[in-house]
């Protein structure tokens, strides 16, 4: 019989051997594993306390390389943001029994901004669930950060996800080529759509009066947009007003003055509960509460919501959600 001391000694002597055997057995597995993902750049705030850099004003001509890389022309906003839309008109999505028009909640949108020391690319990308993983891999391969993976819709079919992207670089054309390579991993249509007739079957004057803003018609959707009053910073850069910080009320006509509304509210932490309560009081269904960015200041939160009913009645009911936040009507 082996004594307790000899058993303990044997166990201790065997431990290094077992570790070596285990390491040897795992070596082929570890060798086959993918390399760790590269760390993507984030513009951290500087300790010097220097004021954040402001965007540089640009024109369409300054973004010709980006347009060529993306494969379509964009438009300018505020003479600072070059914006390009990629609506997913290839998808037929149904949510809550409603066929969702691409302009309501299926629009990929990307903006580029120049600064004295570089360029920023920020966007919201619509992907199907089958496209999600490959698209994510492509983003990382092209050093484009993902800052949110979330939903805009409830009970949608097929399953759709929304990816917020974020990248900095010296050359915006390079950023655009990386995004184009990533979009090519999806079925995002390469050809732009022809805008629909700019008229809409809704009481838009009533909606405007209820929400306190002048909306716009865009591809059959009536949009009411609000922007945060504060200057929002991304690390060492000040963002143009509205970039990544808008509250949106998007109305899709359903006939007879009724509409489906899909939108989101931009909030600081102290506003979140009041907004959620106001949305529920209005009969809206809550979809998501999350962040769009990683280094924004002040820290912003967004809640996506869905509502159906008489458009003007809903606009009146949703006004308290606007009043609960520090926003101003866009435009």
């Amino acid at each position: 019989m082996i004594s307790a001391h000899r058993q303990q000694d044997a166990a201790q002597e065997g431990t290094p051997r077992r570790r070596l055997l285990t390491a040897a057995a795992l070596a082929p597995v570890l060798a086959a594993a993918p390399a760790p993902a590269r760390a993507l750049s984030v513009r951290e705030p500087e300790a010097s306390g220097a004021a954040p850099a402001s965007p540089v004003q640009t024109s369409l001509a300054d973004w010709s390389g980006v347009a060529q890389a993306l494969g379509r022309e964009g438009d300018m906003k505020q003479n600072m943001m070059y914006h390009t839309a990629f609506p997913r008109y290839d998808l037929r999505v149904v949510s809550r029994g409603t066929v969702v028009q691409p302009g309501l909640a299926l629009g990929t949108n990307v903006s580029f901004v120049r600064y004295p020391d570089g360029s920023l690319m920020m966007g919201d990308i619509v992907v199907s669930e089958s496209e999600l993983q490959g698209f994510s891999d492509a983003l990382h391969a092209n050093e484009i950060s993902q800052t949110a993976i979330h939903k805009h819709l409830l009970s949608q079919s097929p399953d759709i996800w929304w990816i917020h992207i974020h990248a900095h670089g010296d050359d915006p054309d390079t950023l655009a080529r990386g995004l184009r390579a990533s979009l090519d991993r999806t079925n995002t249509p390469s050809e732009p759509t022809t805008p629909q007739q700019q008229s809409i079957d809704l009481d838009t004057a009533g909606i405007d009066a209820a929400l306190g803003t002048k909306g716009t018609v865009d591809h059959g959707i009536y949009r009411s947009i609000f922007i945060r009053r504060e200057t929002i910073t991304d690390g060492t850069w000040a963002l143009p007003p509205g970039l990544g910080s808008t509250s949106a009320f998007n109305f899709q006509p359903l006939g007879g003055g009724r509409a489906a509304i899909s939108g989101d509210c931009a909030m600081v932490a102290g506003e979140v509960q009041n907004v959620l309560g106001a949305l529920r009081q209005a009969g809206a269904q809550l979809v998501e509460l999350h962040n769009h960015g990683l280094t924004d200041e002040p820290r912003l939160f967004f809640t996506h919501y869905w509502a159906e009913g008489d458009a003007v009645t809903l606009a009146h009911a949703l006004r308290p959600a606007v009043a609960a936040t520090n926003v101003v009507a866009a435009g």
Side-chain angles (χ1 to χ4, degrees), residues 31-220:
R38 287 174 288 180
L40 305 183
S41 63
V42 175
R43 295 189 67 86
E44 297 290 351
E46 294 180 347
S48 64
S54 297
V56 174
Q57 289 201 349
T58 55
S59 65
L60 279 175
D62 296 314
W63 300 102
S64 59
V66 169
Q68 182 177 4
L70 293 179
R72 68 178 61 184
E73 294 289 338
D75 55 64
M76 292 299 303
K77 298 184 182 300
Q78 304 175 39
N79 296 320
M80 288 183 284
M81 291 184 285
Y82 179 73
H83 166 263
T84 308
F86 298 82
R88 291 299 301 264
Y89 59 81
D90 60 306
L91 298 171
R92 185 183 186 278
V93 177
V94 179
S95 178
R96 290 301 207 240
T98 297
V99 177
V100 178
Q101 293 184 17
L104 180 66
L106 302 176
T108 286
N109 291 277
V110 181
S111 293
F112 293 78
V113 183
R114 281 202 173 125
Y115 290 85
D117 58 341
S119 295
L120 167 68
M121 179 177 72
M122 186 183 295
D124 193 14
I125 315 296
V126 179
V127 298
S128 67
E129 189 157 306
S130 62
E131 297 168 344
L132 173 58
Q133 307 308 324
F135 178 69
S136 296
D137 292 343
L139 289 176
H140 280 273
N142 288 283
E143 299 189 11
I144 299 172
S145 298
Q146 297 176 88
T147 58
I149 303 174
H150 66 295
K151 294 279 191 180
H152 287 194
L153 299 171
L154 293 167
S155 303
Q156 79 269 198
S157 178
D159 286 319
I160 304 296
W161 292 87
W162 285 258
I163 315 300
H164 279 271
I165 64 167
H166 189 279
H168 303 106
D170 296 327
D171 179 22
D173 299 358
T174 300
L175 299 179
R177 285 191 291 271
L179 176 60
R180 180 69 262 174
S182 302
L183 289 173
D184 287 344
R185 294 289 299 271
T186 74
N187 291 321
T188 300
S190 58
E191 296 297 324
T193 57
T194 301
Q196 298 178 5
Q197 183 68 29
Q198 296 295 295
S199 62
I200 200 161
D201 183 23
L202 288 174
D203 180 1
T204 56
I207 294 171
D208 290 347
L211 286 176
T213 184
K214 177 63 177 174
T216 58
V217 178
D218 183 14
H219 285 75

